Amino acid sequence: MHIIDSHAHVVSDEPDRFPAVSEAYRAALQAEDGPMTWRRLLGEMDDVHVARSLIVQRTQYYRFDNSYLLESASLSGGRLVPVCAVDGRSEGAGAMVRALAREGAAGFRLMAKIGEESFDWVAGPTAEKVWRACADHGLPLCVHFFPWNREAGIPLMLEMLEGVRGLPVVVDHLANGAIELEGEGGVDDLVRAMADYDEIYLKFTTIPLGRLKSEGIPAGEILANFATLFGCERLMWGSDISQSPGAYGDMVGLALEATAAFSVEERALMLGGAASAVYCL
C-alpha cells in the first residue's frame, strides 16, 4: 500500500542555523529524545513503509520562518513536501504566500496562537489575502482549530471559503470536536456543515486516534461516521509526529488499525490517495 503521511513535523538539530522562537521551546527540545529532523523522519518512514510525507511547519518552534521546512523538502529527494505556515494577521500575508509558492510550498496552513480570542488569523481582511493567494496559485489551505475556538471559527472559515469556492481546504484532527461512541460519534452540526462543501477534507491524526485508543472507543466506527458524510476520498491520515508523543511506527499502527474494516480501495484513499489528490503528489 502506498502510504502518505499528511501531517508530520520536523525540527532541526542545528539550533544556531534554525533557532527556536523561545527559550522554553529550546529547553523542551533538548529534553526530548532528539529532534525529529528530516533525515530521521525519512529513516522512520522507511522502517514502516511510508512512501512520502507532507511536512507541516512547526509554528510553536519557528513561527512563520519556513526556512528549515523548505530546506528539508529540498534535500529529501521529493519524499518530503512542505506545507508552510503564514500569518493571516499580517498585511503582507498574500505576498508571503506568493513568495513561498515560488520557493516550492505545496500548501499553506493557518492556525491561532494558543489562547488567542481573535479570529483575524483565519477570517480578517488580511487573512482574506491568504485565501485569495492560495486560490490564485491552486494551492490547498490547511486550517487548524482547537477545541475552544472551533465553534466560532468553523463558520467563519466557511464564510471565507464562499469567496474562493473550489479551493481545497484541509481541516486538522477531525476538526478537534468531542468524540463519543454514542450516536454519530464525533459528528456534530459543525462537521455536517463542512461536509456540505466538496472541497473540504479532514485529517484523522494521532490526536483523535490516540484519544480513542486510550478511551477504548473503536476508531474504525468513528471514522465510518465521518466517511458516511465525507466519503473516504475526503479523509486523510497524518501522524502529527514530534507534536503528538509516541513512536512513529506506533502512529502508523494506529492508522492501520483504525482503517482495517474498510475495503482495500477505501483504505488506499484514506492512507494516501486523498492526500495525493489534494496536494498533487
Side-chain angles (χ1 to χ4, degrees):
M1 185 180 298
H2 191 76
I3 300 177
I4 297 173
D5 183 349
S6 72
H7 195 102
H9 297 290
V10 290
V11 178
S12 175
D13 59 356
E14 298 178 89
D16 292 337
R17 291 187 63 211
F18 303 102
V21 296
S22 72
E23 282 293 339
Y25 281 111
R26 285 192 287 271
L29 179 59
Q30 291 172 359
E32 294 171 0
D33 182 28
M36 182 57 68
T37 65
W38 68 268
R39 290 185 181 87
R40 178 178 172 185
L41 177 60
L42 286 179
E44 300 206 14
M45 288 164 56
D46 288 342
D47 289 343
V48 288
H49 311 293
V50 172
R52 303 180 78 180
S53 286
L54 292 160
I55 48 173
V56 179
Q57 172 73 348
R58 187 81 187 271
T59 53
Q60 293 95 331
Y61 279 92
Y62 300 124
R63 298 304 293 153
F64 307 109
D65 179 355
N66 295 273
S67 54
Y68 181 66
L69 193 81
L70 292 167
E71 180 174 293
S72 298
S74 70
L75 296 172
S76 71
R79 293 185 64 194
L80 304 180
V81 180
V83 176
C84 294
V86 291
D87 185 0
R89 313 162 197 81
S90 169
E91 287 292 337
M96 188 175 185
V97 168
R98 291 189 289 273
L100 289 168
R102 290 192 294 270
E103 293 186 55
F108 294 89
R109 189 187 193 213
L110 294 173
M111 177 180 172
K113 296 177 183 177
I114 294 176
E116 182 176 6
E117 295 183 1
S118 167
F119 287 92
D120 289 350
W121 58 275
V122 68
T126 54
E128 184 179 5
K129 298 177 182 179
V130 175
W131 288 81
R132 295 201 176 278
C134 285
D136 290 345
H137 285 277
L139 295 173
L141 182 61
C142 176
V143 184
H144 177 284
F145 294 104
F146 293 97
W148 47 265
N149 70 358
R150 67 187 297 275
E151 184 173 353
I154 289 174
L156 292 172
M157 178 190 72
L158 297 181
E159 288 180 18
M160 298 301 292
L161 182 54
E162 286 291 346
V164 287
R165 290 303 305 267
L167 171 68
V169 174
V170 182
V171 179
D172 287 337
H173 313 310
L174 293 178
N176 260 328
I179 299 178
E180 298 177 352
L181 190 55
E182 292 76 14
E184 297 177 86
V187 173
D188 59 13
D189 288 342
L190 294 171
V191 171
R192 294 186 190 92
M194 289 189 289
D196 288 338
Y197 290 78
D198 291 342
E199 55 268 77
I200 292 183
Y201 299 75
L202 298 183
K203 293 180 191 174
F204 61 101
T205 63
T206 302
I207 288 180
L209 294 183
R211 186 167 70 242
L212 292 171
K213 183 78 170 179
S214 68
E215 295 177 3
I217 298 175
E221 294 183 23
I222 301 301
L223 285 182
N225 294 333
F226 284 90
T228 297
L229 284 176
F230 287 82
C232 295
E233 68 277 7
R234 290 165 62 197
L235 300 176
M236 62 182 75
W237 168 72
S239 67
D240 198 39
I241 189 67
S242 94
Q243 171 64 35
S244 289
Y248 192 72
D250 293 340
M251 294 178 179
V252 174
L254 282 177
L256 294 174
E257 180 181 348
T259 58
F262 290 86
S263 71
V264 172
E265 294 78 13
E266 290 169 336
R267 289 185 95 193
L269 289 168
M270 299 166 76
L271 297 176
S276 179
V278 171
Y279 288 94
C280 301
L281 302 179

